[in-house]
Amino acid sequence: MKILKKITMTKKKKDIQTSAEWKRALHGIAKIARPDLGLFLLAMLFAILAALATSTVSLLTGDALDALIKHGSGTKFKRLIAILAVVAAVGALATGVRGGLFSFIGVRINVRVREKLFRHLLTLELSFFDATPTGDLNSRLASDTAKIGDQVSLN
């Protein structure tokens, strides 16, 4: 019974530490991303517009088919198809702008993370570079920092 209690306490302590680490990491990423908050909000606005356009396309498609099949109204059908084309074009534009903005934000965050990491590397003692393989440093600077930016741009 004491062993089970000890394991449970240890697991809770690890969960709390892991939670604190996640909060600290997210706070750090938010701090780095803060300069792009305006662009992020604009990208979210375009994401909402794209979602609304997609929903409207579905609604208009049903209405256009109803106008043609149930009512036999060719003029209403043509008008709804014209509106459908405009809504689809607006949705495509909103989707493109959203994707472009998120990619742009991701690249800017990636640059800031690399600069911050590089500045930190310049402050380290020479003994650190003797003990740490150059390949590990290159990997951190190149691929690991790109993963952070990708999480933003691959929304």
Side-chain angles (χ1 to χ4, degrees), residues 29 32 101-114 142-155:
I29 292 171
I32 290 171
L101 283 173
F102 276 123
S103 293
F104 182 68
I105 292 167
V107 168
R108 286 174 49 108
I109 288 173
N110 192 1
V111 167
R112 280 199 288 291
V113 168
R114 286 180 189 213
S143 65
D144 291 355
T145 56
K147 289 177 186 176
I148 295 171
D150 287 346
Q151 292 309 309
V152 174
S153 60
L154 300 175
N155 50 62

Side-chain angles (χ1 to χ4, degrees), residues 64-139:
L65 290 174
D66 282 346
L68 187 62
I69 295 169
K70 289 184 180 178
H71 307 294
S73 174
T75 56
K76 186 176 180 182
F77 175 75
K78 289 177 185 177
R79 184 176 55 83
L80 287 171
I81 291 298
I83 294 170
L84 178 68
V86 170
V87 170
V90 168
L93 181 68
T95 300
V97 172
R98 172 198 56 95
L101 283 173
F102 276 123
S103 293
F104 182 68
I105 292 167
V107 168
R108 286 174 49 108
I109 288 173
N110 192 1
V111 167
R112 280 199 288 291
V113 168
R114 286 180 189 213
E115 285 177 351
K116 188 173 181 174
L117 180 59
F118 186 71
R119 271 188 259 120
H120 177 71
L121 285 174
L122 291 177
T123 64
L124 296 175
E125 296 290 327
L126 278 176
S127 60
F128 171 79
F129 297 101
D130 290 338
T132 307
T134 308
D136 289 351
L137 295 175
N138 284 336
S139 174

